[in-house]
Amino acid sequence: TKQSNGIDRYKIKNIANALNIDPTDFIDPDKWQKNEIKELTQKFEPLIQEKTKRFYGRKFIFELFEKFIKQNDRGYFTLVGDPGSGKSAVAAYYIQEIAKKDCVYYFNSYTTGQNRADQFLENICQQLITRYELDYPSLPRDYTRDGVFLTELLTKISKKLLKENSENQSSSVIPKKAGIQNLRGEKLQKSSQQKRLIIVIDALDEV
């Protein structure tokens, strides 16, 4: 089977555990990863849909953020504003429409009780391990107690992305005099696409 949604995922995990194999040994790895990430983020979906429903404008904020990530290889971009000024809507729009959910994200919410540090660490660490295919068959005990394990994950991902970006850059460099073209006769260009890890966290003031 290629399906891995809902109750099927639970059954697949049980079958894989019983056979002492990984689910991706018989499930398309890309589909499995996407569905696993969806499981971790689906509780944020109603909020994202609600916040982006009537969203418009604020283009300057996204331009500033784009400038920030181009000029910095790491750091924090903080959006500050009064309650109700649209900070959550900006975060939701970025995730949904700009990043196309190709980022790690978490929404704190005091009203739903989803605002504890251990909840954040549990969800974010699992998103990172799944998205970047890190080799952690089991998670360390008390990994939600502090930020030590999260720091370990971020360090590993940073090294992984640096390596991938370096390899991509090397493979895309074309000698100026070579004039290499593809089968359609189009001039090949050096790719400037750099993979980045972006984590969007909403409502830090509610923690």
Side-chain angles (χ1 to χ4, degrees), residues 54-202:
R54 299 182 182 86
F55 186 90
Y56 65 92
R58 322 288 177 86
K59 184 180 178 181
F60 72 96
I61 296 177
F62 303 116
E63 290 175 344
L64 285 172
F65 179 64
E66 186 65 24
K67 182 179 179 181
F68 174 82
I69 62 175
K70 284 182 178 179
Q71 294 180 344
N72 301 275
D73 64 354
R74 70 198 70 188
Y76 300 91
F77 183 89
T78 308
L79 186 61
V80 181
D82 293 330
S85 60
K87 301 184 298 297
S88 296
V90 168
Y93 186 84
Y94 176 82
I95 293 165
Q96 176 94 331
E97 302 298 333
I98 299 180
K100 303 296 182 184
K101 298 189 177 177
D102 187 20
C103 62
V104 174
Y105 54 95
Y106 189 88
F107 287 83
N108 290 291
S109 174
Y110 178 79
T111 55
T112 62
Q114 186 177 284
N115 64 332
R116 301 198 319 267
D118 63 311
Q119 294 171 319
F120 164 79
L121 288 169
E122 180 180 10
N123 188 280
I124 288 293
C125 286
Q126 290 185 43
Q127 282 194 61
L128 291 170
I129 290 170
T130 302
R131 181 175 292 279
Y132 293 96
E133 300 178 334
L134 302 180
D135 187 16
Y136 284 94
S138 61
L139 296 173
R141 183 181 297 179
D142 298 331
Y143 74 99
T144 62
R145 184 177 57 186
D146 51 39
V148 173
F149 183 61
L150 174 59
T151 300
E152 177 183 321
L153 295 179
L154 293 176
T155 301
K156 288 191 174 185
I157 293 168
S158 176
K159 291 178 179 178
K160 182 175 184 177
L161 293 182
L162 282 171
K163 182 180 178 181
E164 290 180 2
N165 287 334
S166 177
E167 291 173 349
N168 290 338
Q169 188 174 25
S170 297
S171 64
S172 63
V173 172
I174 301 171
K176 290 182 180 179
K177 296 181 180 180
I180 300 174
Q181 298 179 336
N182 65 14
L183 293 176
R184 292 181 296 179
E186 299 168 335
K187 193 87 169 186
L188 294 176
Q189 301 292 330
K190 176 181 173 180
S191 174
S192 60
Q193 186 90 21
Q194 294 286 303
K195 294 182 179 180
R196 294 178 178 271
L197 165 59
I198 295 175
I199 303 177
V200 181
I201 308 170
D202 182 54

Side-chain angles (χ1 to χ4, degrees), residues 3-54:
Q3 298 300 315
S4 54
N5 295 308
I7 191 65
D8 289 338
R9 284 185 63 83
Y10 178 76
K11 291 179 179 178
I12 289 168
K13 285 182 178 180
N14 282 343
I15 293 170
N17 288 335
L19 297 174
N20 197 28
I21 59 176
D22 193 88
T24 53
D25 288 338
F26 57 96
I27 296 290
D28 185 317
D30 287 338
K31 288 185 177 180
W32 181 261
Q33 184 198 56
K34 288 177 182 177
N35 284 325
E36 195 160 351
I37 291 173
K38 187 176 180 180
E39 275 191 356
L40 293 168
T41 58
Q42 63 183 355
K43 59 185 172 183
F44 308 130
E45 195 60 27
L47 185 147
I48 290 174
Q49 295 303 320
E50 176 62 28
K51 295 293 183 181
T52 56
K53 193 184 302 181
R54 299 182 182 86

